[in-house]
Amino acid sequence: MSTHEPIADRDGTAAPSGTEQPSRSAAVSGAVAVDPEPPAGAPAGPGPEVLADPAPGAAADAAEGDVAEGEPTDRGSGWRLRDLAKLGAVCLLVLLLVNAFVAQPFVVPSASMENTLRPGDRLIVDKLAYQFGGDVHRGDVVVFDGTDSFVPGGDDRPGIGAELDRLAGALGLGDGSGTVFVKRVIGVGGDRVTYRAGADALTVNGVRLAESDYLFPGDAPSSAGFDVRVPAGALFVLGDHRSASRDSRDHLGDPGGGFVPVRKVIGRADWVAFPPGHWRSLDRPAGFAALAAAGGSGGDGDQG
């Protein structure tokens, strides 16, 4: 009759009763690892600890558990906010550069150009129209700085108020300052512009100018007569709503004679961009082409 001997340690001592036979191998990541044999005389001890692969998702749960309460878990959110701020700054810089050198919005402040332009209309002004050799033409609607022609130079006040006005103009929220005007060019350098009180039309270089395309309904070409010669490098400008416009006629006796220096022209008004119901392009009226065809001299080349 056979009997089972208790498992003995390698030193020959009997294993404590009740213990299970230790395993000689363990699976680690699908491979079989064999327990190394302890050297002779080494004390018995537990086998090496085997780390099993975590269950799917356990690593993520542990990582999330390391995040303090209230701390954002999206590590990239800060970078995204910084990128958006940089993008906004670049867009603002591009807008300011376009306003300064290419095109700028302006607000029509008064009724002096009705019905072509109405109070509150937003204009897009082409600031490159007269650059690189371009000339101002009769019939163009221009935005200009009226300092020293329509407004005495002393009225160009310094200070934060003036700077805020200029910023509003740059963003299309105002006219930019109290010295910015919008009018139609009637005569350019070398032209003689004449009106006889009570006549149905004014003349440019002796040629009758047809203004029915833009003159405010019911208005006469002027309420008073005048006869002027436009200096080289200057412009004679009038509003389309003659009875509601203060223009070159009102400043004939002032220093500068009411003539606007070409160098003070900010740009040509090309479009009405707002409100939507008043969208339109500001094309040169046909009467001015007829004036040139009739032999009206002076003009476009004599800008100074």
Side-chain angles (χ1 to χ4, degrees):
M1 184 171 107
S2 65
T3 61
H4 292 282
E5 297 277 339
I7 299 174
D9 286 342
R10 297 207 177 257
D11 58 3
T13 59
S17 89
T19 59
E20 298 178 358
Q21 180 176 355
S23 172
R24 294 296 180 184
S25 65
V28 180
S29 301
V32 175
V34 179
D35 289 339
E37 298 211 0
E49 183 179 0
V50 178
L51 299 179
D53 291 335
D61 292 340
E64 289 178 2
D66 292 337
V67 180
E69 185 177 356
E71 182 180 339
T73 58
D74 188 353
R75 304 278 184 186
S77 60
W79 287 102
R80 283 204 297 272
L81 291 175
R82 260 200 301 266
D83 291 343
L84 288 174
K86 290 178 182 177
L87 179 61
V90 170
C91 290
L92 179 60
L93 177 61
V94 170
L95 175 63
L96 293 175
L97 289 174
V98 169
N99 282 342
F101 300 107
V102 181
Q104 183 173 350
F106 282 90
V107 179
V108 177
S110 71
S112 67
M113 284 293 292
E114 287 181 325
N115 279 332
T116 305
L117 304 174
R118 299 171 184 170
D121 281 354
R122 265 66 171 176
L123 305 177
I124 300 298
V125 175
D126 182 359
K127 302 182 83 168
L128 298 178
Y130 306 126
Q131 303 298 320
F132 312 108
D135 291 327
V136 182
H137 294 272
R138 306 183 198 100
D140 289 351
V141 176
V142 295
V143 172
F144 60 93
D145 179 1
T147 305
D148 296 326
S149 56
F150 281 28
V151 174
D155 286 359
D156 188 15
R157 70 189 193 284
I160 191 170
E163 294 303 322
L164 290 175
D165 282 344
R166 292 187 185 95
L167 178 59
L171 298 176
L173 304 175
D175 62 4
S177 75
T179 68
V180 178
F181 299 85
V182 56
K183 304 293 179 186
R184 189 181 298 278
V185 178
I186 302 298
V188 295
D191 283 344
R192 182 181 180 184
V193 184
T194 306
Y195 179 70
R196 180 175 54 84
D200 61 352
L202 54 80
T203 64
V204 178
N205 303 320
V207 179
R208 183 179 183 274
L209 177 62
E211 298 189 277
S212 58
D213 288 350
Y214 56 86
L215 197 64
F216 187 80
D219 268 9
S222 180
S223 58
F226 55 85
D227 185 352
V228 298
R229 175 75 67 176
V230 184
L235 306 170
F236 184 82
V237 297
L238 300 176
D240 290 354
H241 192 174
R242 301 286 161 80
S243 62
S245 175
R246 296 203 61 189
D247 42 44
S248 289
R249 300 168 298 164
D250 297 278
H251 300 281
L252 293 176
D254 295 348
F259 301 111
V260 177
V262 173
R263 61 184 171 80
K264 291 294 190 79
V265 173
I266 296 169
R268 182 181 66 210
D270 282 350
W271 290 89
V272 178
F274 185 86
H278 203 204
W279 285 346
R280 58 176 300 189
S281 62
L282 300 175
D283 301 320
R284 193 175 299 127
F288 291 94
L291 176 68
S297 60
D300 297 339
D302 189 11
Q303 298 297 319

